[in-house]
Amino acid sequence: MNRRTFLTTTAFATVGMMSGFALPSFAQETEKAEPATIVVPDLTMGDADAPIEIIEYASYTCPHCANFHGSVFKPLKADYIDTGKVKFVYREAYFDKFGLWAAMVARCGGAMRYFGIQSLLYEQQTEWLAGGKDAMLIVENLRKIGKTAGLSDAELDACMNNGEMALAMIDKSEKEAEADEINATPTLVIDGVKHSNMPYADLKKILDKKLAE
């Protein structure tokens, strides 16, 4: 069983049980689906014409990513993204089924609510993951976060049971990570140059130097 088949099969077997929907066998559907036909929107913040572009690769189940969003992303947003200096692109990485589920819930809110749900997912990471042992409990915890963000049960059911979208998300993630040679999260690609996780002070030095050029 390849990684894509594993993610979709395990993910939707559990989500289907939670929602009460009878789902198809995604182990079989993976051979039939055509992810390229499904549009998976980019997740961006800031001025599209900003002088600097930062691409972050991150996973919702990565503790270092949660720390980054708590200590680095917030001042980055205030100082550079909101002020038009940085265009920020967030790219989801899926190392496990739980990260895929979380991303699907975040995308369920659409572009307007995505980053708000993202904040909840990172702020409450240890709580909704619940040790990573009870898959059914994790699904229920993710649904609670979705409801906190204003999503209905019907909206969550539709998003979390969308097998074609899940396949397309995995396909997009794998292609982008391969192109940028990503092997850890969080990883930042600043104007095409790859950087590992760093404190805000170090990131600020890089950005200020580029702005002064």
Side-chain angles (χ1 to χ4, degrees), residues 64-76 197-201:
H64 295 296
C65 299
N67 290 336
F68 176 86
H69 276 262
S71 62
V72 179
F73 179 74
K74 289 182 179 179
L76 170 66
N197 191 15
M198 68 183 82
Y200 180 64

Side-chain angles (χ1 to χ4, degrees), residues 8 15 17 45 47 49 59 62 66 76 81 91 106 133 135 137 155 181:
T8 52
V15 176
M17 290 170 64
M45 270 187 177
D47 187 343
D49 297 320
S59 167
C62 160
L76 170 66
I81 300 173
R91 290 185 176 171
K133 296 181 179 180
L137 176 60
E155 288 173 321
E181 299 180 346

